[in-house]
C-alpha cells in the first residue's frame, strides 16, 4: 500500500526527531539518525520514490531559510572579500580533490568529481549556525561563511561545466 509506504518512513523520521529533540540532541543529528533509520527499513527505491516530493519540499524550505539569513547589505559591503575568499576556498578544494583522486580515477573522472566537491557544501550552513549559537563565531564571521557558501553554490554549475569542457579537450 503506497500510503503506508509513504507514512511509515515519514512517521519514523518525525518520531526520531521528536524523541531525540527531547533528549537534547541537535536537529542535525536527529535528521541524520532519521535518515539512517529510514534506510534501515529496507524498502530502498520504492520508499525514495514515494517520499521524494516531501524531501524536495524540505530542501526548498531549508534553502529558503538560508536565504533569509543572507543580508544583501552585508554582501554588498564585503563583496570584494567574499569574491576573493570564495575563489580561494573553491580553488583549494578543487586542487586538493584533484591530488587525492590522482591514483584513483581518469582525468575526466577526477575533473568532474573535483568540480562537484569544490563547492562549499550546505553542511557549512549547519556548522556555522551551530558555531554562532554556541558563540564560537561572531555575527560577521557567520554572515561571511553564509555568503561564501551561497556564492560557491551559485557558481558550482559553472565550475562543473568548465571542468567537463577542459577534461574533454585533453
Amino acid at each position: 500500500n503506497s500510503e503506508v509506504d509513504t507514512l511509515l518512513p515519514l512517521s519514523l523520521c518525525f518520531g526520531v526527531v521528536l524523541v531525540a529533540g527531547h533528549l537534547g540532541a541537535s536537529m542535525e543529528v536527529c535528521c541524520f539518525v532519521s535518515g539512517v533509520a529510514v534506510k534501515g527499513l529496507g524498502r530502498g527505491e520504492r520508499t525514495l520514490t514515494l517520499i521524494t516530493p516531501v524531501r524536495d519540499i524540505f530542501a526548498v524550505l531549508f534553502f529558503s531559510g538560508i536565504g533569509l539569513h543572507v543580508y544583501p547589505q552585508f554582501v554588498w559591503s564585503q563583496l570584494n572579500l567574499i569574491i576573493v575568499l570564495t575563489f580561494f576556498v573553491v580553488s583549494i578544494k578543487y586542487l586538493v580533490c584533484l591530488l587525492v583522486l590522482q591514483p584513483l580515477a581518469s582525468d575526466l573522472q577526477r575533473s568532474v568529481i573535483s568540480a562537484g566537491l569544490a563547492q562549499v557544501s550546505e553542511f557549512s550552513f549547519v556548522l556555522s549556525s551551530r558555531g554562532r549559537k554556541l558563540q564560537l563565531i561572531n555575527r560577521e564571521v557567520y554572515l561571511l561563511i553564509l555568503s561564501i557558501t551561497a556564492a560557491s553554490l551559485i557558481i558550482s554549475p559553472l565550475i562543473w561545466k568548465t571542468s567537463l569542457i577542459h577534461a574533454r579537450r585533453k
Side-chain angles (χ1 to χ4, degrees):
N1 186 328
S2 65
E3 288 83 12
V4 172
D5 286 342
T6 303
L7 286 176
L8 178 65
L10 292 176
S11 299
L12 180 62
C13 286
F14 289 126
V16 168
V17 168
L18 184 67
V19 169
H22 283 298
L23 296 175
S26 71
M27 184 63 71
E28 297 82 16
V29 170
C30 296
C31 291
F32 175 76
V33 171
S34 296
V36 171
V38 168
K39 181 73 173 173
L41 290 175
R43 298 180 184 225
E45 289 298 317
R46 177 158 171 72
T47 300
L48 183 60
T49 302
L50 292 170
I51 65 171
T52 294
V54 176
R55 182 197 66 190
D56 292 345
I57 288 170
F58 282 116
V60 166
L61 290 173
F62 175 77
F63 284 109
S64 298
I66 296 304
L68 293 173
H69 289 282
V70 175
Y71 291 96
Q73 294 167 332
F74 176 82
V75 172
W76 184 250
S77 70
Q78 301 296 323
L79 188 59
N80 290 337
L81 181 60
I82 292 168
I83 290 170
V84 168
L85 288 176
T86 301
F87 177 77
F88 178 75
V89 169
V90 169
S91 298
I92 294 298
K93 286 187 72 178
Y94 183 79
L95 293 173
V96 167
C97 289
L98 281 176
L99 289 173
V100 169
L101 293 171
Q102 179 71 33
L104 303 173
S106 69
D107 284 347
L108 177 62
Q109 291 171 328
R110 283 184 341 167
S111 180
V112 171
I113 293 170
S114 296
L117 294 173
Q119 69 172 343
V120 181
S121 72
E122 301 85 19
F123 192 58
S124 63
F125 290 130
V126 174
L127 293 176
S128 61
S129 174
R130 182 65 54 197
R132 178 77 176 119
K133 189 176 279 185
L134 296 173
Q135 298 179 345
L136 298 173
I137 59 174
N138 62 28
R139 182 176 183 267
E140 289 75 25
V141 172
Y142 173 71
L143 293 175
L144 195 59
I145 292 169
L146 289 181
S147 300
I148 292 168
T149 304
S152 78
L153 290 171
I154 289 168
I155 65 170
S156 182
L158 177 66
I159 296 168
W160 200 305
K161 190 70 166 178
T162 303
S163 70
L164 280 172
I165 292 168
H166 179 69
R168 287 186 179 146
R169 286 185 185 164
K170 287 184 175 182

